[in-house]
Amino acid sequence: MKRPIEPLLWGLFSAGGVVAALLMPVHLFLFGLAIPLGWLEPPSFEGLQSLAAHPLARLYLFVLCSLPLFHWAHRFRFTLYDGLQIKHLNEVISAVCYGGAILGTFVAGYVFLVSR
Amino acid sequence: MNASKPFTEFHPRWFRQRPSTYWWLWKWAYLRFVLRELSSLAVAWCVVLTLLQARALAAGAAPYADLQDWLRTPWVALLNAVCLSFLMFHSITWFQLAPRAMVVRLGGWRVPDALIIAGNFAAWFAASAAVAWLALGAGR
């Protein structure tokens, strides 16, 4: 079956992979471990809040969340397809994965670009 | 239809044995491939965490402190540590594969793979340092 949308999905996967590879380890290390566990001196709440409210930071966080979701969708789809050989559910898996990424992008857009 | 080829009316079914669902468990190269694919779950978790942090930050100091408490619970910290190792695995394998996906030429000279990989790692460290500097310096 010809899938003209496949190059777009692969492009999003690739772009999300770059964003995730470059930026996610430091984010998870800082905000998931080092700051809450007190390994590093935490930034002040007000400082972090105003940093996150900056328009450039909002745009950055939106990209940080949306593109990697498409990376996840593409990889997870093929993990289920190749790894677990769930081939008969191909359409359902694609719908859940890419639909999840699109939904997540809307949520991220609302959180970072629309609200406040 | 090629008349010179013998034709059987009832085509025999190919004998194909379905590989085990756990085909990837018994060889390191396959396991590595599946672990790399599973790193995408850590990526998705990191997105969820970033959204939760943003929501808590916007909601005020008390919800933010609650989230920090939750992040300190052992199972969340353990999950984050496991996810961080998967993310590192993704970064390292991604940067190492980059020269195969993208050949860089400068005026006919093909940039060697090792140089592209080194450039990727340098960009990774620079981006990480910039994020850490901005985040940890916030409010100081």
Side-chain angles (χ1 to χ4, degrees), chain A residues 14 17-18 21-22 24-26 28 31-32 36 41-43 45 48-49 60 68 71-72 75 79 82-83 85 112 116, chain B residues 19-21 23-24 36-37 40 49 53-54 57-58 60-61 64 68 71-72 80 84 90-91 94 124 128 131 135 140:
Chain A
S14 185
V18 171
L22 279 175
M24 279 197 157
V26 66
L28 189 58
F31 295 105
E41 198 187 334
F45 171 76
L48 207 56
Q49 197 180 37
Y60 165 83
H71 173 81
W72 161 78
R75 267 203 166 156
T79 306
D82 292 324
Q85 302 180 72
F112 295 120
R116 298 253 192 121
Chain B
S20 149
T21 306
W23 58 268
W24 41 273
R36 202 190 67 195
E37 299 297 283
S40 63
L49 208 58
Q53 295 253 0
L57 260 183
Y64 183 75
Q68 298 299 304
L71 289 170
R72 273 190 283 272
N80 282 337
L84 180 63
H90 163 67
S91 297
W94 189 265
W124 183 25
S128 303
V131 169
R140 260 173 229 167

Side-chain angles (χ1 to χ4, degrees), chain B residues 41-113:
Chain B
L41 286 173
V43 170
W45 170 242
C46 193
V47 170
V48 171
L49 208 58
T50 306
L51 288 169
L52 287 176
Q53 295 253 0
R55 204 183 60 166
L57 260 183
Y64 183 75
D66 287 347
L67 183 69
Q68 298 299 304
D69 283 341
W70 181 70
L71 289 170
R72 273 190 283 272
T73 51
W75 73 269
V76 181
L78 183 68
L79 177 69
N80 282 337
V82 171
C83 282
L84 180 63
S85 43
F86 269 101
L87 286 180
M88 302 285 286
F89 188 54
H90 163 67
S91 297
I92 292 166
T93 51
W94 189 265
F95 294 140
Q96 283 176 343
L97 273 176
R100 296 199 205 164
M102 180 187 63
V103 173
V104 180
R105 285 180 197 280
L106 291 176
W109 176 65
R110 181 176 167 171
V111 179
D113 287 2

Side-chain angles (χ1 to χ4, degrees), chain A residues 40-107:
Chain A
L40 295 167
E41 198 187 334
S44 72
F45 171 76
E46 290 77 16
L48 207 56
Q49 197 180 37
S50 66
L51 177 68
H54 191 280
L56 280 178
R58 284 161 167 259
L59 191 64
Y60 165 83
L61 289 169
F62 172 69
V63 172
L64 182 73
C65 286
S66 63
L67 283 178
L69 277 179
F70 285 93
H71 173 81
W72 161 78
H74 205 68
R75 267 203 166 156
F76 194 57
R77 171 187 158 202
F78 284 110
T79 306
L80 296 178
Y81 189 86
D82 292 324
L84 296 180
Q85 302 180 72
I86 311 175
K87 301 189 181 187
H88 54 289
L89 293 176
N90 194 18
E91 274 75 22
V92 180
I93 289 170
S94 293
V96 168
C97 288
Y98 296 118
I102 291 168
L103 184 71
T105 297
F106 275 110
V107 172

